[in-house]
Amino acid sequence: MAVPVILDCDPGHDDAFNILLAAAHPAVDLLAITTVAGNQTVEKTTLNARRVCAVAGIEGVPIAAGRSRPLHGAPLVGENIHGGSGLDGPGFGEGEPDVPQDQRDALTLIRDTLLAHPAPVTLVPTGPLTNVATFLLAHPELTHRIERIVLMGGSTGRGNTTPAAEFNILCDPEAADIVFSSGRPVTMFGLNATHQVRATPDVVSRIAALGTPLSRLCVRLLTYFTTAYREVYGLDAPPLHDPLTVAHLIDPSVVSLVRAAVTVELAGTYTRGATVVDLDGVTGRPANAEVGMEVDVPAFWDLIVEAVRVLGARTDRTPSAS
Ligand code: BDR
Ligand code: CA
């Protein structure tokens, strides 16, 4: 049976590919998309989620906007990586996408979706954890309807936004602390895993060879992402972080997991937002998460290319594709 999923995201180039993967693959039942401030403001990430769904022909999946700022402090944005729109590269134009914004807020949409679905639902956050933490605090009576939380964030080692902290966790460390301490099963895909999946020229060529309007748009996204990662980090090919979450749901053999105690640094002068992952069990703290480690990189890219192929073939047959 397909895994019922709510994506909570901040598109974002890599979030966009995660939406495509979740919508395309029959092993996933994409019930709802909620958005959060992160890579850009929540207004922009919501518009971007609608744009991605519109160009990919993803219909009937409600999209609702969530929190515009973290639980504490000022919002960060990822403009240096994702651009002024949050999804720079393709040039979506000024027009409104055909896919509407759900008028409920993200928390209400999550609540309604959990209540309506007969089985517990997997939450997949790929942005700051503000919506998820707020939901856990607001609705303790519904947490048993959350099967598990499979997130992109953190790292077993170094960060990317400070030397210690990864972007999603640094945006809202208090929210991340609430999620990791929630008692719900948490699976974390951090930079140590996501930096294994680089969108190399080979990968981009495979997507280009699909020859559909959607594949051309994906190439433009990856081209922008490549330039940004080269300029900011000096990397030749950008890591496509977020889709490791859904790839894991589709095929658990894509990433190996270890159980470990994960805590979030809330105070450190230089290390706020770091995920402290006790891989060696030296703290004696009980494991509270599964942590992604080694990735089957070819299997991951096969899933991504196939998702773009499947959705591209569908939209290629519709008159609105351009
Ligand atoms: C994470 O931050 C954002 O730039 C990406 O979308 C990803 O979720 C990587 O640190
Ligand atoms: Ca993201």
Side-chain angles (χ1 to χ4, degrees):
M1 215 185 60
V3 182
V5 160
I6 299 173
L7 287 187
D8 183 67
C9 56
D10 62 338
H13 296 69
D14 50 335
D15 303 81
F17 280 88
N18 207 30
I19 293 172
L20 300 183
L21 186 57
H25 204 286
V28 174
D29 183 7
L30 179 56
L31 301 176
I33 297 173
T34 52
T35 56
V36 68
N39 287 326
Q40 261 300 346
T41 63
V42 73
E43 290 77 16
K44 291 182 182 179
T45 61
T46 308
L47 180 60
N48 290 343
R50 294 169 56 210
R51 281 175 166 157
V52 170
C53 288
V55 296
I58 300 166
E59 291 168 354
V61 179
I63 301 172
R67 296 295 148 135
S68 60
R69 46 190 311 118
L71 299 182
H72 298 284
L76 282 177
V77 288
E79 187 149 334
N80 60 342
I81 295 295
H82 299 275
S85 72
L87 208 49
D88 275 13
F92 286 96
E94 294 301 311
E96 277 284 302
D98 287 343
V99 171
Q101 178 176 338
D102 195 288
Q103 287 315 302
R104 290 168 286 185
D105 67 17
L107 266 58
T108 307
L109 177 57
I110 294 172
R111 184 199 67 189
D112 291 353
T113 307
L114 293 182
L115 285 172
H117 201 73
V121 172
T122 296
L123 293 189
V124 180
T126 60
L129 289 159
T130 319
N131 289 343
V132 177
T134 309
F135 184 85
L136 292 170
L137 294 178
H139 292 290
E141 80 286 2
L142 292 181
T143 52
H144 68 285
R145 290 183 176 264
I146 300 170
E147 175 77 12
R148 53 194 288 225
I149 298 169
V150 177
L151 64 90
M152 190 280 138
S155 171
T156 60
R158 57 197 289 179
N160 61 0
T161 310
T162 70
E166 180 277 332
F167 179 79
N168 288 341
I169 306 294
L170 183 66
C171 282
D172 197 339
E174 282 74 18
D177 181 46
I178 289 166
V179 170
F180 278 102
S181 316
S182 67
R184 296 314 299 156
V186 174
T187 303
M188 158 187 154
F189 295 104
L191 300 175
N192 59 292
T194 66
H195 272 245
Q196 296 167 50
V197 288
R198 305 284 183 87
T200 60
D202 271 4
V203 167
V204 179
S205 300
R206 285 179 68 189
I207 293 173
L210 297 170
T212 62
L214 181 63
S215 77
R216 286 192 278 280
L217 181 127
C218 288
V219 167
R220 291 198 287 273
L221 285 173
L222 291 175
T223 303
Y224 183 90
F225 209 38
T226 301
T227 305
Y229 260 89
R230 188 176 297 130
E231 285 174 1
V232 175
Y233 295 108
L235 292 180
D236 281 345
L240 203 68
H241 310 276
D242 293 339
L244 265 194
T245 53
V246 169
H248 160 75
L249 296 177
I250 294 168
D251 179 359
S253 74
V254 169
V255 196
S256 67
L257 301 174
V258 295
R259 289 195 57 75
V262 179
T263 42
V264 180
E265 176 58 67
L266 300 178
T269 308
Y270 303 109
T271 55
R272 179 170 155 80
T275 45
V276 180
V277 182
D278 185 9
L279 291 176
D280 299 318
V282 292
T283 62
R285 293 191 198 108
N288 60 343
E290 296 178 319
V291 179
M293 299 300 287
E294 298 303 321
V295 183
D296 180 342
V297 176
F300 172 84
W301 287 117
D302 285 351
L303 288 173
I304 298 292
V305 174
E306 179 62 7
V308 178
R309 189 193 68 74
V310 164
L311 293 173
R314 273 186 216 157
T315 50
D316 222 9
R317 285 196 299 272
T318 64
S320 61
S322 57

